[in-house]
Amino acid sequence: MKLCHSCQSVIDEYNLDKQLEPLRNLTVDDFNVCADCTTIVADACVECGGAVYVPRSEFVTPDYCPACRSDLIDRTGHDPGWNCNPVSS
């Protein structure tokens, strides 16, 4: 059993897997957060139009889903980050 790196509660794999269904080929093993600490935003990826995962502590929705970000890294050898344009701080 894994602990959520955000709130330290035990991760309920069933609930998180259900929440992650819109994210292509990802399972609870790809995340270190529980379902209570994540938000899934449908239709937000600029590459595939799929869902993106947002930790509840973040305020910016990523432009790339984890699968498309990984595909871009494999294709270009460059990590685009989660957003098309860097967020200014």
Side-chain angles (χ1 to χ4, degrees):
M1 296 179 111
K2 292 182 181 181
L3 295 180
C4 174
H5 76 73
S6 180
C7 70
Q8 297 303 305
S9 67
V10 174
I11 296 173
D12 181 334
E13 294 183 10
Y14 177 78
N15 284 339
L16 187 56
D17 274 338
K18 282 293 190 194
Q19 189 171 341
L20 295 174
E21 279 182 23
L23 297 174
R24 301 180 304 170
N25 302 321
L26 297 176
T27 68
V28 68
D29 294 328
D30 298 306
F31 295 87
N32 287 323
V33 293
C34 66
D36 292 334
C37 291
T38 61
T39 301
I40 303 298
V41 180
D43 307 322
C45 180
V46 297
E47 286 286 314
C48 71
V52 298
Y53 143 79
V54 185
R56 295 246 165 128
S57 60
E58 296 293 322
F59 299 105
V60 177
T61 301
D63 294 319
Y64 299 108
C65 69
C68 286
R69 181 181 180 197
S70 178
D71 289 347
L72 285 168
I73 292 169
D74 288 345
R75 233 178 341 170
T76 66
H78 171 71
D79 183 356
W82 292 110
N83 296 94
C84 295
N85 297 316
V87 176
S88 59
S89 39

